[in-house]
Amino acid sequence: MSASPEAQQPELYSATLVRSERITPATSREEVRHLVFRTGERAFACRTGQSIRVMAPGQFGNKLHVRLYTIADPDRETDEGTEFTLCVRRCFYVDGYNGEQYQGVASNYLCDLKPGERIAFTGPVGLAFPVPKSRTADLLMIGMGTGIAPFRAFIRHLYENLGGWEGKVRLFYGARTGLEMLYMNEQNNDLAHYFDEKTFKAFQAVSPKPHFDAPIALDKAIARNAAEVWEMLQKPDTHIFVAGMETMLAGIEKALEGLAGPTEWARRKKELVSSGRWSEVLY
């Protein structure tokens, strides 16, 4: 017997905004906010790499506007409840019909929230980033923009919750400009806490001509470290994590393909996927 429609509905939770911080400088055209929420829902638990569905007020006759956001910090218990963090970029889009610019519904709703205000959400959804059983395994993380959210959570988990990692941990992260290097700029430099870790290194990539919207040179950052990246990819226990906009995936694959050629990369990618060592969080 199949379950009733009511039984199949995801459980709806609520959370209160505790803190909202802009983590890009005021001079940057990109506004990205670090939002800390607290929920009293003890049944809610989210793992690194998973997302929640935020229920924003709808438009044009729609009651709700649902948007997925990846957790930027592992949830943690406090006396008041469970806290979790979202990394949200205030978005705008241009209507293809009339050429008018409009605010992104969910992102502007979240960025405009004031501490004490509440959101409704469901989740978690998506597969968590798997932590290898062996702490000597190498970890390669590649992403752009707010794709840094699951990486920030993952890196904090490795070095704080697990007490460290013995294998190489390499982060390749791209943004339009240095000011927009989330969690790696003068406004918020959380990832600097791990620069002293012997096994952790972060490599940044920016657009060569940001005012002309030239592509972020993430491929060049990978190419400059080709020997180490390819050495990691050939190991039988290396895990690859990719996070960011879906449109960036082709460029990342092309960059990795350039390390050893199309045939060899196709074989290596197949092995990574089949062994569960290739993970994606794309939006």
Side-chain angles (χ1 to χ4, degrees):
M1 180 182 296
S2 61
S4 66
E6 290 78 14
Q8 296 174 3
Q9 293 297 317
E11 186 168 359
L12 187 65
Y13 300 114
S14 66
T16 301
L17 180 65
V18 177
R19 190 169 71 254
S20 175
E21 301 172 353
R22 177 167 176 151
I23 58 173
T24 49
T27 53
S28 170
R29 73 178 188 181
E30 296 281 357
E31 179 184 354
V32 182
R33 303 197 75 84
H34 177 87
L35 305 173
V36 179
F37 291 91
R38 180 182 298 136
T39 178
E41 311 280 0
R42 297 294 179 178
F44 173 73
C46 191
R47 296 170 61 196
T48 302
Q50 291 186 307
S51 304
I52 62 170
R53 290 189 178 95
V54 173
M55 309 296 177
Q59 292 183 332
F60 312 117
N62 298 311
K63 182 179 179 181
L64 295 173
H65 182 89
V66 182
R67 177 73 160 81
L68 273 175
Y69 287 95
T70 304
I71 299 295
D73 207 357
D75 54 22
R76 54 187 181 275
E77 296 289 338
T78 70
D79 292 339
E80 293 80 14
T82 300
E83 291 187 355
F84 62 90
T85 301
L86 301 182
C87 179
V88 180
R89 179 172 67 91
R90 188 185 293 274
C91 296
F92 300 88
Y93 68 93
V94 176
D95 188 289
Y97 178 73
N98 59 25
E100 294 289 329
Q101 178 175 277
Y102 296 96
Q103 293 184 339
V105 178
S107 68
N108 281 269
Y109 162 69
L110 289 171
C111 287
D112 288 340
L113 285 175
K114 299 295 187 291
E117 295 184 316
R118 300 179 68 80
I119 64 168
F121 69 97
T122 63
V125 297
L127 298 176
F129 277 164
V131 179
K133 294 180 180 179
S134 172
R135 295 196 184 189
T136 61
D138 287 350
L139 311 177
L140 178 61
M141 308 175 189
I142 308 173
M144 293 185 191
T146 52
I148 194 69
F151 293 148
R152 176 181 181 271
F154 199 50
I155 292 166
R156 292 188 70 177
H157 179 62
L158 295 177
Y159 291 108
E160 294 183 18
N161 296 348
L162 299 183
W165 198 257
E166 296 175 34
K168 292 181 179 179
V169 180
R170 299 293 182 263
L171 170 64
F172 287 85
Y173 173 62
R176 194 177 66 90
T177 69
L179 295 176
E180 291 152 23
M181 287 287 175
L182 307 181
Y183 302 113
M184 286 190 284
N185 62 30
E186 60 185 21
Q187 199 75 15
N188 183 296
N189 201 16
D190 282 3
L191 288 176
H193 297 311
Y194 310 102
F195 289 170
D196 290 337
E197 297 286 348
K198 293 182 179 179
T199 56
F200 177 71
K201 288 184 181 179
F203 303 96
Q204 302 178 359
V206 298
S207 169
K209 297 180 179 179
H211 296 296
F212 295 95
D213 292 324
I216 296 167
L218 195 56
D219 56 339
K220 291 183 174 58
I222 293 173
R224 284 194 295 271
N225 297 275
E228 182 177 48
V229 172
W230 183 240
E231 178 187 9
M232 292 173 68
L233 289 175
Q234 293 183 84
K235 293 183 178 179
D237 58 352
T238 295
H239 284 242
I240 315 298
F241 306 92
V242 179
M245 296 187 69
E246 191 170 4
T247 52
M248 76 174 191
L249 185 58
I252 289 174
E253 292 231 37
K254 185 176 181 180
L256 296 176
E257 180 183 287
L259 301 180
T263 302
E264 180 61 23
W265 168 243
R267 184 182 70 82
R268 178 60 55 187
K269 172 72 181 295
K270 185 177 180 180
E271 290 178 355
L272 288 166
V273 172
S274 63
S275 61
R277 294 184 291 120
W278 177 278
S279 303
E280 299 173 0
V281 175
L282 301 175
Y283 51 89

